[in-house]
Amino acid sequence: MTADTPKSLVLVRHAKSAWPDAPDLPDHERPLAERGRRDAPLAGRWLRDHGHVPDRVICSTARRTRETWELASGHLNASPPVTYDRRLYGADLRQLLDVVAESGGDIGTLLLVGHDPGLWELALHLAGDRAGDALERVRVKFPTGAIATLAITYPWAELGAGSAELTDFVVPPRHGRPHHY
């Protein structure tokens, strides 16, 4: 793969998490809520059906992200290598760019499973000032279970403001609203 070969960065925010009635439970250990357990497999099917099966996955170590990936990945018809990276938990824009740059190499489709606001900031930063319906929806909110896909022609280590095109943004169904997956 050459530096200008098109690549994809897929950003998946963990599915809806629960706030268990356990006052001593650290945030890092919060599980998925029932809704999150329903939505995560839908994300996996959407990724598969829309040609976004990753070559590599980097997932936060938080329980809710690990559970999201486990439930989604079962619907890919593939088993991409997964790295669980604690840096994604609470990561800001700079930390996420560093993680992506380090992944580098010959990865065609890289998928991150992480958290808000980091993934939201990364999507907006990479997409820059471009117009488009998907980008307008990302600007409003990057809800739990959302997936943003970005087309990239730069080397992973050279990503910066405006260096990608947001090609899609989908969110799970909500309370009778249209099904986006």
Side-chain angles (χ1 to χ4, degrees):
M1 177 173 292
T2 64
D4 59 351
T5 300
K7 297 178 279 296
S8 296
L9 178 62
V10 180
L11 308 176
V12 177
R13 182 173 176 204
H14 64 80
K16 181 70 176 170
S17 60
W19 290 93
D21 193 17
D24 295 335
L25 184 70
D27 179 72
H28 189 269
E29 297 308 314
R30 284 193 299 123
L32 289 181
E34 183 178 326
R35 186 176 93 199
R37 297 188 75 68
R38 280 192 317 263
D39 290 348
L42 298 174
R45 287 193 290 272
W46 186 89
L47 291 166
R48 179 198 65 218
D49 293 347
H50 289 85
H52 297 294
V53 174
D55 298 310
R56 180 164 183 223
V57 176
I58 304 173
C59 183
S60 164
T61 56
R63 180 176 173 184
R64 58 193 176 272
T65 55
R66 290 180 287 124
E67 289 178 353
T68 297
W69 178 245
E70 180 182 309
L71 292 168
S73 67
H75 297 273
L76 294 178
N77 297 336
S79 298
V82 181
T83 301
Y84 295 94
D85 191 327
R86 182 148 181 110
R87 293 178 297 169
L88 269 65
Y89 178 73
D92 63 18
L93 173 62
R94 179 79 265 155
Q95 291 165 314
L96 290 171
L97 285 169
D98 288 346
V99 168
V100 169
E102 291 170 15
S103 71
D106 294 331
I107 303 296
T109 299
L110 175 64
L111 186 145
L112 302 182
V113 184
H115 308 269
D116 194 40
L119 292 182
W120 176 71
E121 292 170 348
L122 182 61
L124 292 177
H125 178 75
L126 293 176
D129 293 331
R130 294 188 170 116
D133 178 60
L135 187 54
E136 291 307 313
R137 289 184 289 124
V138 169
R139 284 184 179 122
V140 172
K141 187 175 183 180
F142 201 115
T144 55
I147 301 170
T149 60
L150 296 114
I152 296 168
T153 55
Y154 290 87
W156 294 112
E158 295 177 20
L159 293 182
S163 62
E165 178 187 353
L166 182 71
T167 56
D168 214 340
F169 182 65
V170 295
V171 297
R174 296 280 192 263
H175 310 294
R177 287 178 34 197
H179 192 293
H180 293 97
Y181 278 144

